[in-house]
Structures are given as C-alpha cells and as structure tokens.
Amino acid sequence: MIAPLAVPLLVLGAMLLAALRGADVYEAMTEGAKKGLQLTWSILPSLLVIFPALRLLRAAGLPELLGQVLRPLFTLLGVPEETGILMLLRPLSGSGALAAATELMQRHGPDSLIGRTAAVMLGSSETSFYVIAVYFSAAGVKHGGRALPAALFADLVCFLSAAWICRLLWG
Amino acid sequence: MSFALISIFFVSVFAAFFQDSTAETGAAVLEGTRDALRFAIDLASALCLWSAVGELLERGGAAATLSRLLRPFLRRLFPMGAQDAEVLAALSENLGANMLGLGNAATPAGVRAARGLRRLGARWELNTLVVLNTASVQLLPTTVASIRASLGSAAPFDITPAVWIVSALALAAGLSAVRVLNGGRS
C-alpha cells in the first residue's frame, strides 16, 4: 500500500526537486517551518477571540434560535444552516473565517458533512475585501467598484456549490 | 467586527439569563480560549510541514515552471496586460504561487501585476486580476487539510477534488461577472 506514504513521498519529491536545483534542503525546510510558525502566530489572536465568542453563543442556545428563523431559507438553498456565520465572515476576515470553520469542524467532526462543507467553503474562497483593498490601493485606483460585486458573486457561487457538491459526495 | 463581538456577548448573556443556562454560558468563555490555544499547537505542526514543502517547491523551481505553463491561459484572460512582458511575468508568477499555496510569494507578484496593468491603462483587467485572486485556485488545499488533520480527520486531503470543482465554478462565475460588468469587454 502506497497511499499512507503519500505525505513522506511528497516531501521526498520536493526535497529532490530542490536538491537538483542546488538548493540547501535543510535550510529551505527550516525557513519554511519558520513561515508555518509565523502563519500560526498570526492566526492565533483571532482564534483566541472568536472561539470563546462562538462558544458563548452556542452555550446560550442562540444558534438553535436563529436556525429556526432562517431554516426555511437555508433548506431552500440546500446549505447547512450551521455554516451561516462562516459565509458571513468569509469575505471580511480571513482569520475570523478560519476560526469559524475550525469551530464547525471541531464540533461536528472534520469528516462529517457539515465539517466537510465548512472545509470546502474555506478552501475554495479568499478574503475578497482584503484582496480588493490590497490590489486596488497598490494600483493607485481609489475604488474597486466593479471588482467587489464580481468577487462577492463568485463567493456566493462558491458557497452554494460547496454545499451541493459535499451533499452529493458525502451526504 | 467589534460591533459583532459586542453584540454576541450582549445577546448571549441576555439569552442565557432568560433560558436558565447561566452555568454553561459562564464556563464557555474560558473553554473557548483554552481550546483555541490547544488547537493552534496541533495546527502549527501541520502548517510547518506544508510550509517547508512549499519552500522546497519554490526553490526547486516548481513555481517558475508552473508559471510558464500558465502563460497561454493568461494571454487570453489579459489581452492588453499580456502584451507587456514584465506584466505577463508578474501575472504568471502571481497565479503560479497561488496554485501552490505560496501566499507569501503570490501577493508581491500580484501587486506588481496590478501596478503594471494600471501603467498600461488596462483598468478593466485589474478587475480580472482581483477575481483571479479571490477565487483561490489551489492544487493542494494545505491550510484546510492541516486544520482537518489536527482535528483527527481520517483522510485530510480527501476534500481536494471538491475544492477544485468549487474553485473552478467560483472563478468562472467571477470572470463572467467581470465581463458583464465591463460591458462585454474582457
């Protein structure tokens, strides 16, 4: 069986590729590990603030209450109502959406339908407002007027198709 | 964001009081921070591994090769910008790095491409660049897989085909929307 060895094989392949180019493999990997630590470090403050807030909401029984109100709409669209907060956060805050998706995967299990839907939604989209702000200010263009509706429309298509495809594959 | 947080705390405390769930609600806040810290340690182990692989791929020239392969596609998407060799290089570097999940390399290249498009007066194509970056086209969704792995998923990468399909649909939708909003000009 080779499948369980996919990760070490992938690492080995990347090592050989870099070595063939004359790169210092050890130095490259420690540099990469450092970037991984920096990424975790940059996400952590959001996790520390958003996790307790979502826990609090859940302990107070509010998602059930809100879910009952919004259920007809979500059922109509075929989207799990639990992902509502994730979809709301996704275009606005990258680390906020990551924290919300993680909380869903943790609560429902990473291999559950809701967990997978949250994972696909998170993995197939970006922090649209942030991307637009970075590129338009870099180009010295004041307003990203036309890019915003296009990016938000793409996000909507992403969320709906993520929910449908996950239900098709793992429902 | 701040308003949302204040609302969450306000409404939760209020609701807990009336629903008689004060004990659970009181404990929830500290549980949340403890969970966040524990999860971050698990997450770091997976993220560090994939960042190390990403660094190897970058230094091994995988990003450069991928960028070259993407050029014909980018010529069609950016008919005006692609005529400038420098802008085309920045565009392909941006998309190539994005596909390999090298966010650190993708943003500077994207910024260079955005400046170049502005210099060429290709305002419409700036919208295309933004949509290309917001759709998050990735060959391996390593961050999401790292989260799933740290939560004990049996096969963290098994969502990959679904991520490809959804990203492609979102990209197609975004590019069509740009076309419509640009009045038919691509």
Side-chain angles (χ1 to χ4, degrees), chain A residues 27 35 55 60 111 116, chain B residues 19 35 55 59 148 153 158:
Chain A
E27 198 269 329
K35 285 183 184 166
R55 276 301 148 78
D111 295 328
R116 285 177 195 275
Chain B
Q19 293 190 332
D35 259 20
E55 190 75 20
R59 296 199 193 183
R148 299 186 75 222
S153 165
D158 70 357

Side-chain angles (χ1 to χ4, degrees), chain A:
Chain A
M1 280 301 284
I2 198 129
L5 289 178
V7 171
L9 278 175
L10 200 72
V11 178
L12 179 64
M15 282 170 155
L16 292 176
L17 194 71
L20 280 174
R21 271 292 199 89
D24 182 341
V25 170
Y26 175 71
E27 198 269 329
M29 290 191 78
T30 48
E31 187 58 35
K34 193 160 103 188
K35 285 183 184 166
L37 285 177
Q38 282 163 349
L39 182 59
T40 313
W41 190 246
S42 69
I43 296 168
L44 185 55
S46 287
L47 290 177
L48 282 168
V49 173
I50 287 180
F51 264 45
L54 293 178
R55 276 301 148 78
L56 190 67
L57 264 184
R58 186 149 50 92
L62 279 163
E64 287 84 359
L65 222 67
L66 205 69
Q68 271 164 12
V69 179
L70 293 174
R71 188 162 298 146
L73 178 67
F74 278 98
T75 314
L76 189 74
L77 294 172
V79 178
E81 64 209 41
E82 289 85 349
T83 56
I85 249 183
L86 169 62
M87 292 190 282
L88 209 63
L89 276 176
R90 188 66 189 109
L92 298 169
S93 158
S95 46
L98 189 139
T102 304
E103 212 266 341
L104 281 177
M105 288 184 238
Q106 193 178 45
R107 174 153 40 114
H108 298 277
D111 295 328
S112 66
L113 178 60
I114 291 171
R116 285 177 195 275
T117 307
V120 175
M121 282 178 175
L122 185 71
S124 314
S125 53
E126 258 293 337
T127 319
S128 299
F129 280 94
Y130 171 77
V131 174
I132 291 171
V134 168
Y135 287 156
F136 274 81
S137 66
V141 179
K142 278 274 151 45
H143 52 91
R146 287 200 169 88
L148 186 61
L152 292 181
F153 176 64
D155 286 340
L156 183 68
V157 170
C158 163
F159 299 148
L160 292 177
S161 57
W164 297 338
I165 285 172
C166 286
R167 214 171 39 166
L168 198 73
L169 290 175
W170 299 291

Side-chain angles (χ1 to χ4, degrees), chain B:
Chain B
M1 209 60 195
S2 303
F3 178 72
L5 267 179
I6 295 171
S7 312
I8 285 176
F9 271 76
F10 186 79
V11 173
S12 299
V13 171
F14 213 69
F17 189 74
F18 282 103
Q19 293 190 332
D20 213 21
S21 56
T22 46
E24 302 95 291
T25 312
V29 178
L30 256 177
E31 269 169 27
T33 47
R34 194 178 50 211
D35 259 20
L37 202 56
R38 283 186 182 158
F39 166 73
I41 290 171
D42 285 338
L43 180 67
S45 56
L47 275 183
C48 285
L49 174 70
W50 292 115
S51 300
V53 170
E55 190 75 20
L56 287 172
L57 288 177
E58 200 179 347
R59 296 199 193 183
T65 308
L66 187 61
S67 296
R68 265 202 305 281
L69 294 175
L70 291 168
R71 285 189 185 186
F73 168 70
L74 289 168
R75 281 205 184 88
R76 294 196 51 179
L77 219 50
F78 298 89
M80 216 170 149
Q83 283 172 21
D84 183 294
E86 219 173 287
V87 174
L88 180 62
L91 285 169
S92 63
E93 196 182 320
N94 171 251
L95 185 57
N98 267 329
M99 289 180 81
L100 292 176
L102 306 169
N104 288 329
T107 309
V111 164
R112 262 189 293 129
R115 291 210 176 110
L117 290 175
R118 153 93 164 169
R119 181 167 44 81
L120 296 171
R123 283 275 308 263
W124 307 113
E125 296 183 5
L126 198 55
N127 295 334
T128 311
L129 174 67
V130 164
V131 167
L132 202 57
N133 273 274
T134 55
S136 173
V137 184
Q138 251 188 64
L139 292 178
L140 281 178
T142 48
T143 303
V144 173
S146 299
I147 297 172
R148 299 186 75 222
S150 58
L151 294 173
S153 165
F157 277 101
D158 70 357
I159 51 153
T160 305
V163 169
W164 288 340
I165 297 169
V166 171
S167 288
L169 287 174
L171 180 61
L175 291 177
S176 312
V178 165
R179 234 188 155 80
V180 169
L181 291 168
N182 283 352
R185 277 161 291 192
S186 59

